[in-house]
Structure formats: structure tokens, C-alpha cells
Amino acid sequence: MGMTVSDAQGTKITLTATVISHEWESTPYTLVSLELPPPPLSPPCMGCVEPANVTDPGVQDAAAFVVTSINDGTCGSFCNGLSNTGDVHISTLVSATKQVVSGMQYGIVMILEDTAGAQFEVNATVWAQDWASTPKQITALTFKSTSPCAGCVQNANTTDADVVSAAAFVVASINDGTCGDPCDGFPKTSNVHLVSINSATRQVVAGFKLGLFLVVADNAGSMVEVDASVIIPANPAGPKELFSLSFTPLSTPSPSPSPSACAGCVEPADVDSQGVNDAAAFVVQSLNDGSCGELCTGFPNELTLSLLEITNATQQVVVGLKYELWLRVQDTTGMKVNVDASVWVQEWTAQKNRLTNLTWEVDACPGCPIPQPTDDAAVLDAVGFVVDAINADGCGGKCSDVPREGGVRLVRVESARSQVVAGTKWYLSFVVADEAGAQTFVTAEVLKKLNNQGYRLDSIDTKPVLGPVPSPSPSACAGCVEPADVDSQGVKDAAAFVVQSLNDGSCGELCTGFPNELTLSLLEITNATQQVVAGLKYELWLRVQDTTGMKVNVDASVWVQEWTAQKNRLTNLTWEVDACPGCPIPQPTDDAAVLDAVGFVVDAINADGCGGKCSDVPREGGVRLVRVESARSQVVAGTKWYLSFVVADEAGAQTSVTADVLEKLGNQGYELDNIETKRIVTTASPPRMPCGGCVELANVSSPNVKAAAKFVLQSLRDGSCGELCSGFPNELPLHIAEIKNATSQVVAGWRIQLWMVVEDKVGVQIDVYAAVWGQDWLNGRKEITELTWSVLECPGCPIPQPNDDASVLAATSFVVDFINLDACDGDCTEVASVGGVSLVRVESARSQVVAGVMYYVTFIVVDKAKTQTRLKVVVWQRVGFHMPYRLQALSSKRINKPHVGNRPPPRKAPPPRKLLMY
């Protein structure tokens, strides 16, 4: 609030005050701050040295003059001893001063960098007299190197011309065998090609030594990771030298089809091959862990399976490899099952193996255990015998620990099997509960003797399911959702599991985007329900809080099955952050205000101004910021910052710092409220101190990088990247498969470089490099400035084809004839076809081996009225059919709509439609 007061002499003074009201306390008001009017300004000092803003045009001109003088050699003796390689440029303008002295004299401190990456700190004085014949003069200049060391290994950009050239040289050396002994045993069946340059380093050593980390592949799809060093001579015309090379196979090539095999045909597979055995092992694992889902519903085993035999197998190239397997499996009771399974293998995808079909038949063998309905009368009789034995403690001491207050009763039978063996042997799994609601999981083997001579308990195992659970009221229905006691142990355990899952990240995709980076604690369980559903399912409404006081309302579903290995499973999670005034709010780690607050703490560490709390931080040569891990701000009589970051000294020793900093009102500086430090054990050399405008590694999971990647993806989808994406090889919808690497740079806005993999819906993966420039103050403007790509080759994937290829033109002619014969049954009426259509040109084409050949073609047709239509089609060329082609999909869009004389223009064409033909 603002107010005017008078002193004893009647002088009026204007005050600005901040007051917090908390009327529920004994002291209802607290004065937070009081600002007095500033004292009268002293008159400016004539001719004194004053601080100058580094963005001042005069400072910028003076700095540019120094750089020009160094590059063209006109700085004379001032530059003696400056050992730069090539021209220099300004990396950072650190500080500046100015002084009026018969003109203007500028004092400048800046960091310069040469073409080899070496950096120098330059302290220069420039005298500017704009009216004079020599408008600028350097009157003083000193410099010192700030590079880590001469000839040190530094990171290099993987898109640099010399890096790309060196990578091509390595590939050529592998293919022509000139790499010598290092290439012995290199796993290739044909010449290899470059898939990606994952990273690169540069070192000055009588020229340059480039370290390359590449991925190459041969025509059979075998991928190999290569670590190579290449010497680039100082003389550009000199030959390159392969200094070292090592390799690691990443994938095994699929067996090439025999010359007589037809593309995509089903062929016999060797049952002893590694691929078939791996696929069979995947089937057995899927049956054992239940990951086959609905495909294995009703499969007759509750026990662990093992593979007995692979009786037969076939394989087919169909966007990867598809195996058809005939297996015999057996469980631990000796029951054998004949299994027919289809496994689709796509090594390049995250899932790799997928079970697409599963059928089975149980061996009708005398005496084998046979699954029985859980509600069968004979099953319930055998279970009843075991229940009576538990109540009578007739288990030979093996069920003495079963809670049976008031006796136990059957809750449900989980599974049952019978086996003919001198009577009937029952293998039973069921759940019982006592009057207090304590549940127990029971596994028992019972022999029913011949001639109705009763039962014999051969084996029994018990395991508690839950603590006491309220018995359902007589009116409650089985399996219904019921209120749960928020103070019960079961609810508390489930809530603790939710909080633990959020803290350790084990909730996976369910908690993606959850707004905390700090440890959470449970504040309150506001409500809960429970439901019996093959265990207990809890619905919980919780309030949690992190260490900065941020509160979040969480709605979570937890499925509890005590008898399973996992026990607790989080099946649903939603949340809402409390919108409370003054709560801590997460901030971007690269925000300018965050970096200012972090810089204050770094300065305090260097000056040992932490009140003794940072005396154990290694700071040989001073510490510098490595990275900011997290940042939060809170409005509290100023701004309270909660910061986590890493610093390193000149020797490379790293320290993790957690600090609370108060930024005072009215730009009155910072105050360190709390600081904690922890040494980081690392052998890595310290990263270079971040500088304004430098290219720095970026977190691929950061919101800015993800937003830039989505912008690139959308531009590729809608073609808004213009000529940059001309010829991009996809005609199908894309999604981001992986963001492999990213860098960020401040350059009149921000610039993010991305190395990512995109994938279309048929599984084709494309390596994409893109540079995105953004200026957020211009309505969020973004622009792609660089774009390159490389299709990743894989067995069965679509392959780009020449537009004039005979096979492509044959498939295109089939579609043109199809339209002219009106064989679309009216579904391609949006295609302008007055007097028939003819082909104008093919724009793109791809082929895919899939039980024949699938063609993806984009082309333009024109009718007699000169109306052009762009078509996107999928045509299947089948093997062994009388009519080999079939149109799988068609979409179209008119390009021009001419009209003549006074005739009205034709009505607007309907939106593109897809045509499916079977």
C-alpha cells in the first residue's frame, strides 16, 4: 500500500509498505517491508569511468573493432603472442565500462573463440572519436587462454563437414578392406552403409584427430556399432589415416532367402536356428507370466511350463520376420500341451517380439491332470474336506498359523485339477476367511480314495492374503464397490504404495508429467472405497505434499493380490495441484531468474559466504555451474527460490548443491537461507562453463526439446517445412519413436538441434536431424532451419523406389485403369474424371515385401477438362493370383478446379476419403 505521512517539522514523506493479514492469529498483522523514497541523486561525475551495458551499441561496435583488428592483423604489437587458429569471433561479452575523454573510451572484457574451439579472455581499451579520420583506436589489449588445455579432446558436432567426411572414410575403409587388422572378423555379408553418427570428438594433434562413434549396417540388416579414430592432416590435400577401430555387433542379420524363394512367401524354418528357438522361448515365457493376455485366456495350466520340443516351424518376411511354431510344452505335474503359435519379430522396435496367434490342445494321456470347473460339485467336496481339516487343525501342524477366529469359510476357488491315480488326486487353489475377515490363500493336494473311502490330505501350503477385512453386510452384493475405512491397515498400505511409486518413478507412464521433483509425503487419506475382484481393489483419494510445501490431490486405484509376486499394482492415477496463493511453483531450469539465483549461490560458495556450511566444497580455482537439476519459486515477501544444481571446480571435482534463497523486494539482492552440499564421485572431466550463445547439451526429456520435436513432426506431417522436407520418404502418419540427442543455444531467441527417430504406421524408421529456431516473443514463432534424414534399413520394411521404375508404373497404371473403369463402386467420385484420367507424374513410391509386394505411391492424374487430382494409394501385388493387383487404400485431393466462361465453378470437393477393397 502507498501512504503519505508528515514528520514533526511537517515535511511530507511518501511511503510504500507491504502488510500480511492473518486475522485468525493473536497478532493479526505483520509488516513485511517498508520502502522509503530514494535519497536525492548526486550530480553525475564528469569524465569518470562508469559501468556500461554490454548491449550498448557503442560497446558492441568497439568489441567488433577489436575482433576485426585481430583477424586482419592491424592490432600490431598488441596482438604479439596471440596463438589463435584461424579467425576469432566473440563467444561472450563479459563486462564493459565507458569514459568521456575527448570522445568515448570503452573498456571491454570478452571471451573470444577461434575456429579450432580454443578460447581466450581479452581485456581491451578502445578510444572512439567518431569525427576523426581514425574513428577508433586500440590503446590497450591483454589476453589469456581460457581453454582447458592445448590439444585436449573436445566434443564435435556430428553434422560438421569434416566429421561426416571422416565417417564416410571409415565406412569406405571397412568396405575395401584397407582398415587392415582392426577389421578382422567384421560381421558383414555385403558392403556396409552409414546408419548414424551417434557422437564425435575433436583433438588438435599435428592436424586433427577425430573420434567417431558410428552405427553401420549391411544389406542383410546386420547393424554394428563402430568406435574409430581418424587423423585429418594439417594440409587439407593430404590423405586421411585410420588411427584405430573397434566394433560391437548390435543385431544378427536375418537369413537371406534362397534365390528361388519368392518375396514374402512362407518358407520352412530350421527348428534348431537361434531365431526359432528365441521365438519359442518367448511363447513359453508369455504363457508363464500371462503377458499373452486374451490370447491365452483359458490355457489349462496354473503351474510353470517348460519347452519339450519344437516339432515344426515356418518363417515369412512381412515387415520383419513372422514365425509359425508348433511346440510341445509340459507343466510340473507332467501335463503336456501341443501349442500352435505365431510370433512376429521386429528387432528394430521396442517390443521386438509379438504373439499374434495362439491355439492349443491338451494331450489325452491316461493319468494326466485335467482342469476342472471351479464350481463343480466334486471340486467343492474336495475343497470342503480341506476347509474342515483347517478348522479341526487336522493338517499335521501345517495350517496352525491360519487365522481361524470363529472358524474359516470358503471365499472362492481359484483353480482345480484332477488326476486318475489309484483313486482321484485333486490339485486345488482357493481362498478362505475367518469371522474377523482375515483371508488366507491355500494350495492343497488331496487324494479321494477308491470306493468312497474318504479323502486324504497329502500336501498343504498357506499364505495370508490381507489383514482383517470388514465382512460384507448381509445386504452387500458380491464384488460391489463399498466404502473403506481410511484408518484400516489395508487402505494405509495401499496409500503408502502410491506415494512410494510416485517417489521412485515405478508408476511409469501413469505418473508422466507429475509435478514434483522432490520427495513426497502423505498428508491425508480423504476417502477410500474397496471392491473384491480377484483380490482387493482400492480407490483412494489422497493429499500429498513435497518438501517445499506444494500440495497435490491424487486419485489412485490400487489392485492388491497378496498371493502374487507383485502384490500391489497401480492401475489408474490422476492428480490436481492445489491452486494456493504463495505455494512453490516449478520453474524451467534455464530461466534467466533461476540462473541469477543460482549464480548468487555459486558466488557465495566461492567467497565462502555460506556461514561455514560450504567449507567442504572442493573449489580449487573456484567453482562454476555444471547444470541446474530443478528449481521452484514461491512468493513470500519477495521470491523464495528452492534450487538443486551441480557445480565443479577447476580440478573437475563435482558437488551437488541444494539451496533455499530469498530474492528480496525492490531489487535489494539475495539472501541465502539454507544450503546443503554433497560430493559427487565422478571420473568425467568437468564440462565447460556455460557461456551466452554457446551450444550446450540439452535434456531430451525437457519440455522445450519435446515441443521442438513435436513441431518438427507436425511440419513433416503437413509439409509446412517446404523445400527442406521435399522428398521426405513417408506417405503415412508419423510418430516420434525416440529423441536420441539434443543441444540448445541462445541466438536471438533459442535454437534447438535434434537427433531423433520417427516411425510410420507400417514400422519404417527414419533418422532425422533438425534445427529449430524459436522466438517466443513473436507469438511463439518457430522455424526449421536445417533438416536431413536417413531411412533405417530393415528386413521387410518399405523401401523408396525410383518414380520411373517399371514396377511402380505398372501398379500406378492399374489404379488409373481402375478409376477409368469406374470400378471403385462410387467411392472415388471425388477424383475429377471427365472423359477419363491419365497419369501426369509419379511424385513418390515405396515398395514393401509382405506376402508379395505392397506399393505406396503418390501421383497426379488429369482429366479431359484439365482438372488435376493428387492420389495416394496402396496397391498389393499378390503372388500366385490370376489378378495380381488389389487396391488396398485410396485417398485423393483435387489440385486445380478450372471453369470456363460464365459457367459457375464446380462445387467444393468433399474431404479426402479412404477406399478399402477386399
Side-chain angles (χ1 to χ4, degrees), residues 556-568:
S557 299
V558 180
W559 191 15
V560 181
Q561 292 179 304
E562 286 284 346
W563 64 91
T564 63
Q566 192 173 350
K567 294 185 181 179
N568 300 313

Side-chain angles (χ1 to χ4, degrees), residues 378-426:
V379 171
L380 295 176
D381 280 347
V383 171
F385 164 75
V386 181
V387 171
D388 292 342
I390 293 171
N391 284 326
D393 201 10
C395 315
K398 292 185 178 180
C399 54
S400 57
D401 57 345
V402 176
R404 49 180 180 270
E405 182 181 335
V408 300
R409 63 183 188 280
L410 177 66
V411 176
R412 61 186 174 275
V413 179
E414 298 282 354
S415 66
R417 298 168 85 195
S418 65
Q419 182 182 23
V420 178
V421 48
T424 304
K425 184 73 169 283
W426 290 98

Side-chain angles (χ1 to χ4, degrees), residues 143-166:
F143 51 85
K144 65 178 180 178
S145 173
T146 60
S147 296
C149 63
C152 284
V153 177
Q154 299 179 341
N155 288 332
N157 195 322
T158 56
T159 60
D160 285 351
D162 55 353
V163 171
V164 175
S165 175

